């Protein structure tokens, strides 16, 4: 059974038909590349998946259940996270606080900091970045390290599918290689990865 299934997805913006009858399937542990020119509809399709756009027609399933998120937060809670070129981080907050942002679950409104710390540290270890200093403000990190923080936040939220939208546009070559290693780790753990790019060499 496919982890994710999008069937006959169509999306119109006024007179513009951005998507027409698009279907795809993604298995657990698979990395699927979406390639095409600017304006081809790659990001629009993924914004439908991540709850930012509502399709005009079509259906989606996630882990065998009907999936129709009413916004990005609903998608994240269901297990779908999208990481954009422009990272969505609070630059003045620490690494730990950014990873925990929106994940502050506790009993009677009281957050268990020890449990949260363990979840944050475990997520970074899974990504091979256990040495990332948790108390450092995110704005002081390299772009590649900031990207790791976003991915760790997705893991803490128990993501099943992570979408990368042109993720290497601001990275050094060393950071690109580390990103590919991270994606390999995600696949080994059974996550589904969708990778948007127009760089064919990168896709290969």
């Amino acid at each position: 059974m496919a982890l994710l299934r999008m069937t006959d997805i169509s999306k119109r913006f006024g007179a513009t038909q951005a998507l027409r009858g698009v279907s795809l399937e993604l298995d657990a542990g698979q990395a699927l590349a979406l390639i095409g020119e600017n304006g081809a509809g790659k990001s629009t399709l993924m914004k439908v998946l991540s709850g930012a756009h509502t399709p005009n027609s079509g259906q989606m399933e996630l882990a065998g259940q009907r999936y129709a998120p009413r916004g990005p937060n609903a998608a994240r809670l269901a297990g779908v996270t999208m990481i954009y070129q422009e990272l969505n981080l609070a630059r003045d907050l620490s690494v730990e606080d950014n990873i925990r942002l929106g994940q502050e679950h506790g009993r009677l409104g009281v957050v268990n900091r020890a449990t949260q710390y363990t979840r944050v540290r475990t997520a970074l270890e899974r990504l091979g970045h256990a040495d990332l200093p948790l108390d450092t403000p995110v704005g002081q990190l390299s772009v590649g390290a900031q990207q790791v923080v976003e991915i760790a936040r997705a893991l803490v939220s128990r993501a099943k599918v992570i979408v990368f939208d042109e993720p290497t546009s601001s990275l050094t070559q060393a950071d690109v290689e580390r990103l590919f290693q991270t994606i390999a780790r995600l696949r080994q753990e059974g996550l589904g990865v969708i990778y948007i790019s127009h760089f064919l060499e990168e896709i290969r």
Side-chain angles (χ1 to χ4, degrees):
M1 180 180 67
L3 172 62
L4 169 70
R5 183 176 286 113
M6 304 179 76
T7 306
D8 292 330
I9 301 295
S10 294
K11 179 63 180 176
R12 179 185 293 276
F13 299 98
T16 302
Q17 186 78 45
L19 301 170
R20 187 193 308 273
V22 181
S23 299
L24 67 79
E25 288 189 2
L26 177 71
D27 293 330
Q30 180 184 16
L32 178 68
L34 291 184
I35 60 174
E37 299 175 349
N38 289 335
K42 306 182 300 296
S43 293
T44 300
L45 181 64
M46 291 300 98
K47 285 180 179 178
V48 169
L49 174 61
S50 64
H53 292 330
T54 300
N56 296 112
S57 62
Q59 297 182 354
M60 295 186 287
E61 292 181 4
L62 180 65
Q65 302 294 319
R66 185 174 182 273
Y67 170 72
R70 296 188 176 185
N73 189 55
R76 181 180 61 81
L77 291 174
V80 175
T81 298
M82 188 158 178
I83 298 178
Y84 294 93
Q85 295 179 46
E86 298 296 327
L87 299 174
N88 185 26
L89 297 170
R91 294 177 57 82
D92 293 333
L93 294 184
S94 69
V95 168
E96 180 179 3
D97 287 341
N98 267 278
I99 294 174
R100 292 191 309 109
L101 209 57
Q103 322 283 346
E104 301 90 346
H105 306 298
R107 290 173 58 85
L108 304 176
V110 178
V111 176
N112 187 325
R113 293 288 302 221
T115 300
Q116 294 287 351
Y117 174 87
T118 299
R119 293 178 66 191
V120 168
R121 179 57 68 195
T122 299
L124 290 172
E125 288 173 354
R126 287 169 63 186
L127 297 174
H129 289 271
D131 58 342
L132 202 61
L134 297 186
D135 57 351
T136 298
V138 158
Q140 296 180 15
L141 301 178
S142 69
V143 176
Q146 290 179 29
Q147 198 173 61
V148 169
V149 172
E150 278 245 45
I151 299 169
R153 184 163 63 191
L155 293 182
V156 168
S157 69
R158 297 185 174 88
K160 302 179 182 74
V161 175
I162 300 181
V163 180
F164 293 89
D165 188 6
E166 302 282 359
T168 64
S169 57
S170 301
L171 299 184
T172 65
Q173 187 57 42
D175 282 335
V176 170
E177 293 301 325
R178 280 191 284 269
L179 173 62
F180 291 160
Q181 292 168 9
T182 297
I183 290 174
R185 287 173 181 264
L186 296 174
R187 293 182 62 193
Q188 289 169 2
E189 294 198 11
L191 276 76
V193 173
I194 299 178
Y195 189 99
I196 302 173
S197 182
H198 57 265
F199 297 120
L200 288 177
E201 193 56 44
E202 209 170 83
I203 296 300
R204 294 191 186 98

